[in-house]
Amino acid sequence: MQIYTCAARVGSYAWQLKAPEATLKDAKGNVVGRHFAGPTWQSSDGSSVVGEALNTSPSPDAGAIPWLVLRAKAHGGMGSMATVEFVVRTRTEGGIAPGSGCDAAHAGSDIRIPYRAVYLFFRHP
């Protein structure tokens, strides 16, 4: 899910990204971790990587969140995420904020929008 919060902007209201909330699965569909605010990716072994965006590209699918390249800015634990240097989000489906429904009556409320993506993790040798 992409979690958005309805927030005031100059003269209006708009949905702003609060955090992702996703289960990470491998190519066989096995759960291998989770993705949450930071943005952070945490492996089932407890290790994690926090990224910072380097590049954003629009998805070829107009109804999907952008593709991203992120650089690791912090690590936690000694497992599989400990040597990740870059994370790439590609092949996104869905996840964009609604174009309506955010107004003074809904200020501070959250909405969860489903999405799918492929995350690629590039490790330091």
Side-chain angles (χ1 to χ4, degrees), residues 62-78:
I65 55 177
W67 294 13
L68 300 173
V69 176
L70 303 104
R71 174 180 41 220
K73 69 176 183 178
H75 294 89
M78 298 299 295

Side-chain angles (χ1 to χ4, degrees), residues 49 70-72 75 81-87 122-124:
V49 61
L70 303 104
R71 174 180 41 220
H75 294 89
M81 295 293 185
T83 58
V84 170
E85 294 298 322
F86 295 94
V87 179
F122 294 89
R123 294 176 168 79
H124 186 274

Side-chain angles (χ1 to χ4, degrees), residues 36-79:
F36 52 93
T40 303
W41 294 264
Q42 184 177 48
S43 172
S44 297
D45 65 18
S47 64
S48 62
V49 61
V50 178
E52 63 182 345
L54 291 177
N55 190 24
T56 301
S57 299
S59 173
D61 176 355
I65 55 177
W67 294 13
L68 300 173
V69 176
L70 303 104
R71 174 180 41 220
K73 69 176 183 178
H75 294 89
M78 298 299 295

